[in-house]
Amino acid sequence: CRLTRTLNKLEVVGMTAVYAATIRNRTDLLAELLARGGDPDARRAAKARGDSDASPLFVAAQYNYVEAVRLLIAAGARQEETMKNGQTAINQAANFGHWEIVALLAESRPDLVDFVGVDKWTGQRIGTPLVAAAGGEPYAGEPPAQRKSAGVPSLPSEEADYAKVIWTLVEHGADVNAQERGGPTALIAAAMNGKSLIVEALLGEGADPDKPWLGSDYDGMTPAMIAAKHNHAKAIDV
């Protein structure tokens, strides 16, 4: 069959074969499909229920499918492709603390380590991958089982994965003090969430401990002030 043709809608609504192999982490099938000319950027069809507009690379980054990411990069997947919420694959991997995938993407496209996307629905500019990693855990309100299936770290001890993301991004040229208009720096995001290990990692990479948050409800407040406001004693100590 044609590799770009959608599968039977009773099986997988709106998915191409490449997309289906990726989301099921069937790297054996994915490798075969890509070798035979399958489109590494084939998104879900617009008619699909709950369509997220995600590409295979974005899905692999979200679910921490390291080998699938390798295959898609080798096949020429467009890493600058964004979802409707303005995120690229490296933003998504950083969000979830998937440091191995961040490393693969950063090594392949170091020009995207400071990527700032724009939400297609609201027009709002989102933070860099570094800020995403410092904030972390975007699915905090979802059931534990769903968080686990998405590969989202849920325990404080797994903060180390986010620290590895920080080190990887900075190693590949990310600006540790970057601040999007009205948004926090990575250090402020970590301090606000009480992530003392991330605070330590960022300071070790040269983050400015006195750079304030500008253009928000916290306007003019430093990372320490924000940590104090949220009662994060360990972050203040660091």
Side-chain angles (χ1 to χ4, degrees):
C1 69
R2 290 172 51 205
L3 298 179
T4 54
R5 184 177 181 180
T6 55
L7 301 178
N8 186 309
K9 66 179 180 179
L10 298 177
E11 297 173 17
V12 190
V13 180
M15 291 187 186
T16 64
V18 168
Y19 190 102
T22 301
I23 203 168
R24 295 298 180 187
N25 200 25
R26 288 295 305 273
T27 53
D28 54 337
L29 299 178
L30 179 60
E32 179 72 10
L33 290 165
L34 292 172
R36 292 179 176 273
D39 183 1
D41 298 309
R43 298 172 182 248
R44 291 188 65 169
K47 65 181 180 181
R49 266 185 310 182
D51 178 27
S52 63
D53 195 37
S55 67
L57 185 62
F58 195 95
V59 170
Q62 174 177 333
Y63 288 91
N64 203 22
Y65 295 156
V66 178
E67 184 57 30
V69 168
R70 283 197 182 96
L71 290 169
L72 291 164
I73 290 175
R78 295 192 299 270
Q79 295 182 44
E80 67 275 14
E81 290 290 302
T82 61
M83 285 182 59
K84 291 175 182 175
N85 65 5
Q87 294 192 70
T88 64
I90 197 168
N91 291 89
Q92 185 80 332
N95 240 333
F96 290 167
H98 298 329
W99 66 271
E100 289 181 271
I101 288 178
V102 168
L104 287 171
L105 295 170
E107 183 176 349
S108 176
R109 289 290 303 274
D111 58 309
L112 294 178
V113 296
D114 281 326
F115 183 87
V116 177
V118 179
D119 191 308
K120 297 177 183 177
W121 295 113
T122 66
Q124 181 179 359
R125 292 168 65 85
I126 61 174
T128 65
L130 202 63
V131 172
E137 300 192 336
Y139 290 166
E142 295 186 355
Q146 187 171 351
R147 286 166 50 77
K148 184 176 180 180
S149 69
V152 182
S154 58
L155 300 174
S157 61
E158 290 182 293
E159 204 175 314
D161 285 341
Y162 284 100
K164 289 178 182 177
V165 170
I166 300 295
W167 295 324
T168 298
L169 289 168
V170 173
E171 179 185 356
H172 287 86
D175 180 359
V176 73
N177 289 306
Q179 184 173 28
E180 185 54 29
R181 184 176 62 232
T185 63
L187 184 59
I188 288 172
M192 184 169 62
N193 288 282
K195 298 191 173 185
S196 56
L197 184 59
I198 302 302
V199 169
E200 185 174 5
L202 288 164
L203 290 170
E205 295 295 342
D208 183 353
D210 295 315
K211 186 171 183 177
W213 193 343
L214 302 174
S216 73
D217 293 339
Y218 295 90
D219 191 57
M221 295 181 69
T222 65
M225 290 176 183
I226 292 171
K229 180 179 176 65
H230 291 274
N231 197 29
H232 295 313
K234 287 186 178 180
I236 295 172
D237 286 342
V238 175

